[in-house]
């Protein structure tokens, strides 16, 4: 239908039959006035309506393909399942490094005290204290090195408020064979740090040898934050 005929039809629909029959230009002008009424604008589909229609059309095309492509409903559903599986796989593959980076960050506090040194720096400091025969400080610093090492590797988190005993318990799962020695090292730290008991070369060796073994050990599962 041409624009002129459409305009005429609209005018005849809204004007009484006895009204003057307009020519083509007048009919177009009257139709434009009629269509400028806000009622017609409100009747237009919203963006949400268009989005819903597009999604519906997409699903309909999958289930009822047109042309030479032959899709069965089962094949279409399988395609959707595969697509969802790929998205999940992408999240697991590319999301894991971001998690590891986050859990590998060092806490500004370690067992209630400000501590920004790395595990390697703490081990060096503990060794210097041990060489000087300062066993109390050597034991405290070496256990901090053990905790900082687990934290840096993303195996166990040590957020503010973590105690030596709770960190040892969190490390039981990734290192089950070292559970008893983890508890003994935590007790050594608490004895020297809080109970004011004197350390010794033997007690320092309990912590230092465990730390050395954990550095070489592979956790029972992939490095990931463990919270108790």
């Amino acid at each position: 239908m041409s624009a002129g005929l459409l305009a005429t039809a609209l005018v005849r629909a809204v004007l009484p039959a006895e009204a003057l029959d307009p020519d083509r230009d007048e009919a177009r002008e009257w139709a434009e006035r009629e269509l400028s009424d806000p009622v017609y604008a409100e009747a237009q589909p919203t963006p949400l309506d268009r989005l819903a229609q597009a999604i519906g059309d997409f699903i309909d095309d999958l289930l009822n393909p047109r042309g030479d492509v032959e899709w069965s409903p089962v094949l279409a559903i399988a395609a959707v399942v595969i697509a969802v599986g790929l998205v999940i796989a992408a999240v697991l593959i590319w999301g894991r490094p971001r998690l590891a980076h986050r859990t590998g960050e060092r806490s500004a506090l370690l067992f209630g005290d400000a501590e920004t040194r790395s595990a390697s720096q703490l081990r060096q400091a503990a060794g210097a204290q041990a060489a000087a025969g300062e066993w109390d400080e050597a034991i405290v610093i070496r256990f901090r090195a053990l905790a900082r090492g687990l934290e840096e590797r993303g195996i166990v988190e040590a957020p503010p408020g973590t105690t030596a005993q709770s960190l040892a318990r969190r490390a039981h799962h990734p290192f089950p064979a070292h559970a008893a020695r983890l508890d003994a090292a935590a007790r050594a730290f608490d004895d020297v740090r809080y109970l004011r008991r004197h350390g010794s070369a033997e007690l320092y060796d309990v912590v230092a040898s465990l730390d050395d073994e954990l550095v070489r050990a592979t956790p029972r599962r992939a490095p990931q934050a463990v919270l108790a």
Side-chain angles (χ1 to χ4, degrees), residues 98-106 151-152 154 156-157 224-225:
R98 289 191 292 271
L99 176 61
H101 173 74
R102 183 173 64 251
T103 57
E105 294 176 351
R106 297 198 299 264
E151 191 178 30
E152 289 176 347
V156 175
E157 286 187 359
Q224 183 175 337

Side-chain angles (χ1 to χ4, degrees), residues 1-12 21-29 31:
M1 180 181 292
S2 66
L5 292 177
L6 176 60
T8 302
L10 287 172
V11 171
R12 288 176 175 173
D21 189 16
D23 59 26
R24 179 172 299 181
D25 293 335
E26 289 177 326
R28 182 182 296 108
E29 181 181 354

Side-chain angles (χ1 to χ4, degrees), residues 30-41:
W30 292 350
E32 289 174 354
R33 291 177 184 174
E34 176 66 20
L35 293 176
S36 65
D37 192 309
V39 174
Y40 291 98

